[in-house]
């Protein structure tokens, strides 16, 4: 039962990346739009103060904010696509239809039962307008529920075919036929059930707010501790996109979730100070600063004869973490050989968020330094306090360095460059480092990826039941996970780590994982439908 639950969580976790990874793009473009309307920047660069550039900035940021107002629909379609076993495009289209049926069914039923309140002022009523239709305010949970339901119906009935005159009603069309009564009944049921859920969510949010910095520490620590399971985004997603991360009125609209509120406040020049909810998205201190200190500590505690050798591993990993916020290459370098360091890392990550909150810093940097600049600098120091963020980051660089160096030395932890005699250290010569870089470049070109070797190391084509990927990991469901050859995957295909949870196997490739996924799909003869 435990493995089955983990399998389902892993699958849901992978599917969440479909909608979640697209949202930062909207946020970055909102930030770009704000660059052209920022009063401070226009004062410094007056040539930008003209109707064309300011109009472009207003249009860009203003239009993309609409994405935040329709997250339910985005998550519905995204999850339906991510959870579909095949015919993913049809599953997404069916989800869109199901979403429209649901909101109208709930609206009509609420009208028949007299539950609808006056649309003049919906704040505090538990109701909201979704695509112009007044229903219960379910936020992003509506999309999550309908996305899961649609995928379940689609996977069960999309292969159903009929003969003769009924033939046109088969396949994905039959899935939609089945989905209609399901979502209508769901709309009726949730009309009575959801108010209790709303009360529970509100109570949880109040508990988190009452616990203050303790709750923030737990949140920050868990977000790191769950990295090995691949479920860490299940921790932060509710805070970024639901009322757990705060509720605020921006520009006359009620928004839920720290990232939604942040994006809206970015686009609204009347907002003088960013709200406290932004702190739930301040996860970048450990990525941009802390882990760099950890890398330096591992370098200084390595055996002298190995220090030049481990630069090949630590320098690229540190740069990737700082610039792009991809931390797994560093974390996996000590996660399994010295798990106490990983626990300390998680705790320090939680403490860094508490420090930002105590100092009233509202800057964010969830995906590295580039995002940090785009998100915060255009808003100015008064709104974000971004210079203090950097100061806190430098402080945690020192803390990470001192703590990691003491623990590694005192406990004789076998981090990079401190392996026992006879143990092989990855990339321990310059020639091997050059080979590694060459391999990484090769991985960027899909046609040159040795997909056959990857498939072979995974136990062969017959052993692979499902292939998927997230931001940095190739995620697979294997019939016999014990057939995986980790040595080949790590040494010959460029993998950073291999994680097994039951039949779920994750191979960490970093930012080039999309190209690896496509090459593996091609090797297995899988089309886009898979």
């Amino acid at each position: 039962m435990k493995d089955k639950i983990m399998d389902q969580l892993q699958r849901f976790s992978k599917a969440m990346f479909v909608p979640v990874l697209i949202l930062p793009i909207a946020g970055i473009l909102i930030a770009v739009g704000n660059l052209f309307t920022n009063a401070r920047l226009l004062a410094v660069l007056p040539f930008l103060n003209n109707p064309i550039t300011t109009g472009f900035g207003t249009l860009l940021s203003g239009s993309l904010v609409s994405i935040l107002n329709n997250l339910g629909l985005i998550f519905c379609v995204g999850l339906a696509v991510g959870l579909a076993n095949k015919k993913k495009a049809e599953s997404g289209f069916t989800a869109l239809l199901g979403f429209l049926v649901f909101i109208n069914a709930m609206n009509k039923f609420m009208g028949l039962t007299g539950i609808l309140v006056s649309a003049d002022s919906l704040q505090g009523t538990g109701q909201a307008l979704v695509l112009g239709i007044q229903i219960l305010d379910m936020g992003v949970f509506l999309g999550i529920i309908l996305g899961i339901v649609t995928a379940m119906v689609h996977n069960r009935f999309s292969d159903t075919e009929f003969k003769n005159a009924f033939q046109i009603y088969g396949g994905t069309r039959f899935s939609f036929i089945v989905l209609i009564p399901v979502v209508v009944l769901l709309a009726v049921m949730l009309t009575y059930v959801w108010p209790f859920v709303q009360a529970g969510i509100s109570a949880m949010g109040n508990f988190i707010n009452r616990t203050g910095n303790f709750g923030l520490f737990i949140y920050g620590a868990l977000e790191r501790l769950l990295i090995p399971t691949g479920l860490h985004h299940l921790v932060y997603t509710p805070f970024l996109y639901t009322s757990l991360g705060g509720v605020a009125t921006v520009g006359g609209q009620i928004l839920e979730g720290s990232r939604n509120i942040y994006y809206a406040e970015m686009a609204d020049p009347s907002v003088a100070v960013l709200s406290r909810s932004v702190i739930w998205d301040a996860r970048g201190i450990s990525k941009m600063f802390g882990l760099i200190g950890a890398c330096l500590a591992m370098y200084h505690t390595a055996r002298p004869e190995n220090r030049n050798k481990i630069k090949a591993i630590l320098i690229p990993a540190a740069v990737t973490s700082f610039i792009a916020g991809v931390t797994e290459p560093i974390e996996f370098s000590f996660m399994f050989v010295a798990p106490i360091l990983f626990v300390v890392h998680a705790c320090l990550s939680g403490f860094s968020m508490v420090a930002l909150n105590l100092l009233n810093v509202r800057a964010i940097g969830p995906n590295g330094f580039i995002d940090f600049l785009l998100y915060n600098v255009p808003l100015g120091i008064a709104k974000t306090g971004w210079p203090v963020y950097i100061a806190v980051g430098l402080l945690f660089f020192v803390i990470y360095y001192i703590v990691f160096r003491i623990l590694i030395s005192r406990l004789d932890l076998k981090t990079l460059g401190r392996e026992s005699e006879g143990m092989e250290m990855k990339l321990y010569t310059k020639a091997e480092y050059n080979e590694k870089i060459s391999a990484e470049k090769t991985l960027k070109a899909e046609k040159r990826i040795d997909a056959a070797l990857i498939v072979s190391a995974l136990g062969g084509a017959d052993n692979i039941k499902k292939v998927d990927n997230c931001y940095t990991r190739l995620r697979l469901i294997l019939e016999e996970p014990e057939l995986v050859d980790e040595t080949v995957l790590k040494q010959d295909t460029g993998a950073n780590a291999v994680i097994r949870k039951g039949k779920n196997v994750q191979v960490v490739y970093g930012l080039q994982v999309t190209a690896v996924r496509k090459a593996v799909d091609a090797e297995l003869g899988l089309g886009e439908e898979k």
Side-chain angles (χ1 to χ4, degrees):
M1 179 60 70
K2 179 182 177 182
D3 288 342
K4 187 174 182 180
I5 293 174
M6 283 299 299
D7 286 346
Q8 293 303 316
L9 285 174
Q10 289 278 357
R11 191 177 181 200
F12 177 72
S13 176
K14 290 182 287 186
M16 284 289 285
F17 272 95
V18 176
V20 166
L21 288 184
I22 204 66
L23 295 175
I25 298 175
I28 291 175
L29 291 177
I30 288 173
V32 172
N34 285 333
L35 284 173
F36 294 97
T37 58
N38 185 273
R40 295 181 180 86
L41 182 63
L42 295 180
V44 177
L45 303 174
F47 67 90
L48 292 177
N49 192 5
N50 63 79
I52 296 178
T53 56
T54 57
F56 169 76
T58 301
L59 180 64
L60 183 62
S61 59
S63 59
L64 286 167
V65 167
S66 62
I67 293 177
L68 310 181
N69 299 326
N70 296 287
L71 283 180
L73 178 59
I74 292 171
F75 272 80
C76 175
V77 175
L79 278 174
V81 171
L83 291 172
N85 293 332
K86 53 187 174 180
K87 301 180 181 178
K88 291 180 177 290
E90 289 92 333
S91 178
F93 180 63
T94 303
L96 171 61
L97 299 177
F99 189 91
L100 296 175
V101 171
F102 179 93
I103 60 175
N104 282 278
M106 176 174 277
N107 175 265
K108 298 301 181 185
F109 184 74
M110 291 174 66
L112 291 173
T113 55
I115 298 176
L116 287 176
V117 299
S118 173
D120 295 335
S121 179
L122 297 178
Q123 186 171 1
T125 64
Q127 299 181 20
L129 292 177
V130 178
L131 299 180
I133 306 297
Q134 185 176 334
I135 62 172
L136 290 176
D137 186 5
M138 299 178 63
V140 73
F141 289 110
L142 172 59
I144 293 174
I145 293 170
L146 289 181
I148 294 172
V149 170
T150 300
M152 292 174 63
V153 172
H154 173 83
N155 290 336
R156 174 66 179 81
F157 296 103
S158 62
D159 287 331
T160 302
E161 299 291 346
F162 300 103
K163 296 181 179 179
N164 303 323
F166 294 99
Q167 186 174 1
I168 62 172
Y169 300 110
T172 53
R173 293 171 294 278
F174 185 64
S175 298
F176 177 59
I177 293 173
V178 174
L179 185 65
I180 293 172
V182 172
V183 297
V184 170
L185 291 174
L186 190 61
V188 172
M189 180 187 71
L190 288 176
T191 299
Y192 294 109
V193 172
W194 194 254
F196 296 101
V197 178
Q198 283 178 323
I201 294 173
S202 178
M204 185 179 297
N206 290 333
F207 170 78
I208 292 171
N209 286 327
R210 286 197 305 270
T211 56
N213 289 315
F214 175 74
L216 193 57
F217 166 77
I218 296 299
Y219 166 81
L222 278 179
E223 192 269 332
R224 292 290 92 191
L225 282 174
L226 289 177
I227 284 283
T229 69
L231 302 178
H232 48 292
H233 44 277
L234 297 185
V235 173
Y236 64 74
T237 299
F239 287 88
L240 300 190
Y241 303 111
T242 77
S243 58
L244 289 177
V247 179
T249 301
V250 183
Q253 293 183 322
I254 302 174
L255 297 171
E256 298 179 344
S258 64
R259 185 164 289 183
N260 301 335
I261 295 169
Y262 180 80
Y263 289 161
E265 290 178 337
M266 286 177 63
D268 190 345
S270 66
V271 176
V273 180
L274 297 179
S275 59
R276 181 188 181 277
S277 66
V278 172
I279 201 67
W280 297 107
D281 206 15
R283 295 171 287 120
I285 292 293
S286 64
K287 296 181 179 182
M288 291 194 294
F289 300 98
L291 286 176
I292 314 303
C295 286
L296 186 60
M298 286 189 283
Y299 171 78
H300 283 157
T301 54
R303 295 200 301 269
E305 65 271 21
N306 288 333
R307 287 178 183 172
N308 288 331
K309 302 172 184 177
I310 66 171
K311 289 180 182 178
I313 303 171
L314 294 179
I315 291 178
V319 171
T320 302
S321 180
F322 180 77
I323 297 296
V326 177
T327 61
E328 289 168 318
I330 300 175
E331 289 166 331
F332 283 114
S333 73
F334 60 79
M335 182 186 298
F336 301 109
V337 297
I340 187 174
L341 293 180
F342 188 68
V343 174
V344 169
H345 162 50
C347 292
L348 289 176
S349 180
F351 282 127
S352 72
M353 297 183 66
V354 173
L356 293 176
N357 189 46
L358 290 174
L359 295 171
N360 201 35
V361 178
R362 296 297 176 256
I364 68 171
N367 297 308
F369 193 64
I370 295 177
D371 277 2
F372 174 81
L373 293 176
L374 287 173
Y375 282 139
N376 303 297
V377 175
L379 296 181
I381 296 174
K383 258 190 180 183
T384 64
W386 61 263
V388 181
Y389 185 102
I390 293 178
V392 172
L394 293 174
L395 173 63
F396 271 84
F397 167 85
V398 175
I399 293 174
Y400 265 80
Y401 174 78
I402 294 174
V403 172
F404 268 59
R405 182 162 185 170
I406 291 174
L407 289 176
I408 292 171
S409 300
R410 296 287 178 85
L411 301 179
D412 192 23
L413 301 176
K414 303 303 180 183
T415 51
L416 289 173
R418 294 175 57 85
E419 295 85 350
S420 300
E421 294 295 334
M423 291 182 63
E424 179 183 9
M425 184 177 67
K426 287 179 61 180
L427 303 176
Y428 62 93
T429 69
K430 184 65 175 178
E432 287 177 324
Y433 171 56
N434 291 332
E435 291 176 6
K436 174 69 173 178
I437 297 300
S438 175
E440 290 177 348
K441 291 180 180 178
T442 299
L443 285 172
K444 294 179 181 179
E446 178 183 335
K447 63 181 181 180
R448 299 173 62 190
I449 294 173
D450 195 346
L453 181 61
I454 295 174
V455 170
S456 174
L458 292 169
D462 293 338
N463 194 41
I464 301 174
K465 300 304 178 185
K466 187 172 179 61
V467 183
D468 208 336
N469 72 278
C470 62
Y471 193 46
T472 57
R473 308 181 187 195
L474 189 67
R475 294 171 176 251
L476 311 111
I477 297 178
L478 305 182
E479 185 65 34
E480 298 182 65
E482 60 274 9
L483 297 180
V484 173
D485 190 333
E486 292 190 22
T487 302
V488 171
L489 289 173
K490 292 179 181 178
Q491 295 184 357
D492 300 329
T493 74
N496 294 311
V498 178
I499 307 167
R500 310 186 198 205
K501 286 288 183 181
K503 293 189 175 183
N504 282 278
V505 175
Q506 302 173 22
V507 187
V508 182
Y509 280 106
L511 297 177
Q512 68 272 17
V513 69
T514 301
V516 176
R517 157 78 186 282
K518 290 180 180 179
V520 171
D521 280 349
E523 177 68 20
L524 295 173
L526 304 178
E528 293 295 326
E529 292 291 298
K530 191 70 176 179

